[in-house]
Amino acid sequence: MGRFIARRLLSAVPVLLGILLLVFSIARLIPGDPCLLALGERATEELCDAYNERFGLDEPIVTQLGIYLGDVAQGDLGDSLRFSKPVTTLLKERLPTTVELTLAALFIAVLIGIPLGVMSAYRHNSKLDVVTMVFANTGVSMPVFWLGLMLQYLFAVVLQDTPLFLPPSGRLKAGMIPEPFYEKWGLPEIGIFEFISNMEILNGMLTLNWEVFWSATSHMILPALALATIPMAIIARMTRSSLLDVLGLDYVRTARAKGLKENVVILRHALRNALLPVITVIGLSLGALLGGAILTETIFNLSGVGKTLFDAIEARDYPVVQGFTLFIAFVFVLVNLLVDVLYTYLDPRVRVS
Amino acid sequence: MTDLTVDINPLEVSQSSSGGLGINLVKELFRKRAAVVGAVMLGILVFIALFAPLISPYDPTEVLLSTEGVQPRESPCIHILGCDSEQPQHILGIDGNGRDVLSRIFYGARVSLTAGVAAVTFAVLVGVVVGLIAGFFGGWIDNVLMRLMDVLLAFPSLLLAIFIVTVFGRGLTNAVLAITVVTIPGYARVVRSSVLTVRESDFVKADRVLGVSTFRLLTRRILPNSLTPLVVQATLGIASAVLEIAALSFLGLGVQPPQAEWGSMLASERNQVFTAPHLVFFPGIAIMWNVLAFNLLGDGLRDAMDPRLNR
């Protein structure tokens, strides 16, 4: 097991280096002068020279790459050209929203997707199965940006004066400035606490401020629902087909022959093995979630990683583009690694082979 | 001794095996309800795309404000549903620039279909070459190529596509190129893994012994035997390519106005969703229609080609 993990970790190294190189080159290839974009009409030749020198943009590309690799190794992702603050700080501010969004979406996707798949397999070829699979097929075919807009219309306009009304955009009610939990608890203002306090739902819980908690939650429901739909449908389909495969195996027949109740056979015996491929799908859907977060955050006006990254690309904010993309790609590689390891842990057959 | 022979009607055997792979596949495909639905949906879409100039009531870029006296973002007007017959009929309404939405959706089918199919065709071509070379030669070539694919796969595909379009410039061609690049690894992997299996089979070994050239071996022996999973993946791939091209257009990176495309139609009216939801609703349905058609067809193909999955 240890050797497997070590080998898997080692094989990730060239990929990570490749990612670094690719991100660096792409960021440099984006046309447009960052100085002109940052300074706008104020940009004169002298000012731009000074600007380029300050941010090391006048060095040869290879030197820039060398400096960049050295900085990244030290955890320094540079400073944002637009916000004039370190990219890591920006990441610390924007990441919590995306973490909340993706986790909420993943939660919804798993919580609804797996039971749907199980029911569908259990009542295989019934009306329920057909309805679920039509739903799943439609779900994977839906553009997330369209679904987001439709949900906004439904919950903010059609259901406006009902208790089902949900706010269509933003993170909190206008004017609401929640107290960070560490201040309330008299803790020091350190990075990790700031990060946690920026997760508004969690912060609301920690400070026992239920008004903040509900405001943060209600603003998160629609984006999470929009983002969850595709993975939910994929998980439901995967659970169904995997469970159908397992239900045909001998050990399931044995369990039934022992006289076990059907739900015990399915939930205790069959589902455990059937969930293995589902775990892979859940891991892989994280990539779709992060990609979808760009669209979802744009539509719901959430300043998370996705929206910040997209804005940074538009504004040629190289350090932010590099840093954020690097971060997302690293997380993605890491999650795939985790899924692999988890898979080996859960399924001894993989270890042996 | 017990008689172990089984009655086989020679006529039946010859009938069932006479069709060949292609015919059997089509027969199998028609037995899947979902695949039939997908094929019909796709057929309708292809029809609309082909005959868009004939069936569209208006030119997709024609501004009707002065000629017909319509207002921007007017609701649908359908005569048989009680709309005043004095008014010009606009089944899906008028967009913010005073153009007929139905005509724009019809013309959008052309863009969506060709872009999706083009992106996947290019990706399959490159992916097949990469996968064949990596799988057949193995060793360091395989290692380098596959690590390169891993790097591409390490990004959420939409993000990488956004990058590529930003570097090369906005527009439909570059959007298609971007989707091509981000989907190559998927095809390369599929081809490579089936090459690995076919490479070790006896008929390939026999050919090698007989001195068949590598090129011939790759194109005549290995490739045809790796096609099944590739066709399935490509069909499903068109579905996601259509979605991602629409997403790029939605972000303003793909098709540029005034050309009619579903993603950009959605984008230009997204701020009006609260006042004129129909302008957002219909382009989205059109995208979904296209994606669903390919998804259903792809699933059907997979089931039809894999007898183990028959249920």
Side-chain angles (χ1 to χ4, degrees), chain A residues 24 28 55-71:
Chain A
F24 178 83
R28 299 299 134 141
F55 291 103
L57 296 171
D58 55 345
E59 304 279 347
I61 283 287
V62 183
T63 319
Q64 286 188 36
L65 176 65
I67 296 172
Y68 182 64
L69 288 180
D71 286 347

Coordinates of all heavy atoms in Angstrom, one line a residue, chain A residues 24 28 55-71:
Chain A
F24 N 2.5 28.7 -17.3 CA 3.4 29.9 -17.4 C 3.4 30.3 -18.9 O 3.2 31.5 -19.2 CB 4.8 29.5 -17.0 CG 5.8 30.6 -17.2 CD1 6.0 31.6 -16.3 CD2 6.6 30.6 -18.4 CE1 6.9 32.6 -16.5 CE2 7.5 31.7 -18.6 CZ 7.7 32.7 -17.6
R28 N 1.8 33.8 -20.7 CA 2.7 34.8 -21.5 C 2.1 35.0 -22.9 O 2.4 35.9 -23.5 CB 4.1 34.3 -21.5 CG 4.8 34.2 -20.2 CD 4.8 35.5 -19.5 NE 4.4 35.3 -18.2 CZ 5.0 35.9 -17.1 NH1 5.9 36.9 -17.3 NH2 4.5 35.7 -15.9
F55 N 7.6 44.6 -12.0 CA 7.0 43.2 -11.9 C 7.8 42.2 -12.7 O 7.4 41.1 -12.9 CB 5.6 43.3 -12.5 CG 4.6 44.0 -11.6 CD1 4.2 45.3 -11.9 CD2 4.1 43.4 -10.5 CE1 3.3 46.0 -11.1 CE2 3.2 44.1 -9.6 CZ 2.8 45.4 -10.0
G56 N 9.1 42.6 -13.0 CA 10.0 41.7 -13.7 C 9.6 41.3 -15.1 O 10.0 40.3 -15.6
L57 N 8.7 42.1 -15.7 CA 8.2 41.7 -17.0 C 9.3 42.1 -18.1 O 9.0 41.8 -19.3 CB 6.9 42.4 -17.3 CG 5.7 42.0 -16.4 CD1 4.5 42.9 -16.6 CD2 5.4 40.6 -16.7
D58 N 10.4 42.8 -17.7 CA 11.4 43.2 -18.8 C 12.5 42.2 -18.9 O 13.3 42.3 -19.8 CB 12.0 44.6 -18.4 CG 12.5 44.6 -17.0 OD1 12.2 43.7 -16.2 OD2 13.3 45.5 -16.7
E59 N 12.5 41.2 -18.0 CA 13.5 40.1 -18.1 C 13.2 39.2 -19.3 O 12.0 39.1 -19.7 CB 13.5 39.3 -16.8 CG 13.6 40.1 -15.5 CD 15.1 40.4 -15.2 OE1 16.0 39.8 -15.9 OE2 15.4 41.3 -14.4
P60 N 14.2 38.4 -19.7 CA 14.0 37.4 -20.8 C 13.0 36.4 -20.2 O 13.0 36.1 -19.0 CB 15.3 36.8 -21.0 CG 16.3 37.7 -20.4 CD 15.6 38.5 -19.4
I61 N 12.2 35.7 -21.1 CA 11.2 34.8 -20.7 C 11.8 33.7 -19.8 O 11.2 33.3 -18.8 CB 10.5 34.2 -22.0 CG1 9.5 35.2 -22.6 CG2 9.8 32.9 -21.6 CD1 8.3 35.3 -21.7
V62 N 13.0 33.1 -20.2 CA 13.6 32.0 -19.5 C 13.9 32.5 -18.1 O 13.6 31.7 -17.1 CB 14.9 31.5 -20.2 CG1 15.4 30.3 -19.4 CG2 14.6 31.2 -21.6
T63 N 14.4 33.7 -17.9 CA 14.7 34.2 -16.6 C 13.4 34.3 -15.8 O 13.3 33.9 -14.6 CB 15.4 35.6 -16.7 OG1 16.3 35.6 -17.7 CG2 16.0 35.9 -15.4
Q64 N 12.4 34.8 -16.5 CA 11.1 35.0 -15.8 C 10.6 33.6 -15.3 O 10.1 33.5 -14.2 CB 10.0 35.6 -16.8 CG 10.2 37.0 -17.0 CD 9.1 37.6 -17.8 OE1 7.9 37.2 -17.6 NE2 9.4 38.5 -18.7
L65 N 10.8 32.6 -16.2 CA 10.3 31.2 -15.8 C 11.1 30.7 -14.6 O 10.5 30.2 -13.6 CB 10.5 30.3 -17.0 CG 10.2 28.8 -16.7 CD1 8.7 28.6 -16.4 CD2 10.6 27.9 -17.8
G66 N 12.4 31.0 -14.6 CA 13.3 30.5 -13.5 C 12.8 31.2 -12.2 O 12.6 30.5 -11.2
I67 N 12.6 32.5 -12.2 CA 12.2 33.2 -11.1 C 10.8 32.7 -10.6 O 10.6 32.5 -9.4 CB 12.0 34.8 -11.4 CG1 13.4 35.3 -11.7 CG2 11.4 35.5 -10.2 CD1 13.4 36.8 -12.2
Y68 N 10.0 32.5 -11.6 CA 8.6 32.0 -11.2 C 8.7 30.6 -10.5 O 8.0 30.4 -9.5 CB 7.8 31.9 -12.5 CG 6.4 31.5 -12.3 CD1 5.5 32.3 -11.5 CD2 5.9 30.3 -12.8 CE1 4.2 31.9 -11.3 CE2 4.6 29.9 -12.6 CZ 3.7 30.7 -11.8 OH 2.5 30.3 -11.6
L69 N 9.5 29.7 -11.1 CA 9.5 28.4 -10.5 C 10.1 28.5 -9.1 O 9.5 27.8 -8.1 CB 10.4 27.4 -11.3 CG 9.9 27.0 -12.7 CD1 10.8 26.1 -13.4 CD2 8.5 26.3 -12.5
G70 N 11.1 29.3 -8.9 CA 11.7 29.5 -7.5 C 10.6 30.0 -6.6 O 10.5 29.5 -5.4
D71 N 9.8 31.0 -7.1 CA 8.8 31.6 -6.2 C 7.7 30.6 -5.8 O 7.3 30.5 -4.7 CB 8.2 32.8 -6.9 CG 9.1 34.0 -6.9 OD1 10.1 34.0 -6.2 OD2 8.8 35.0 -7.7

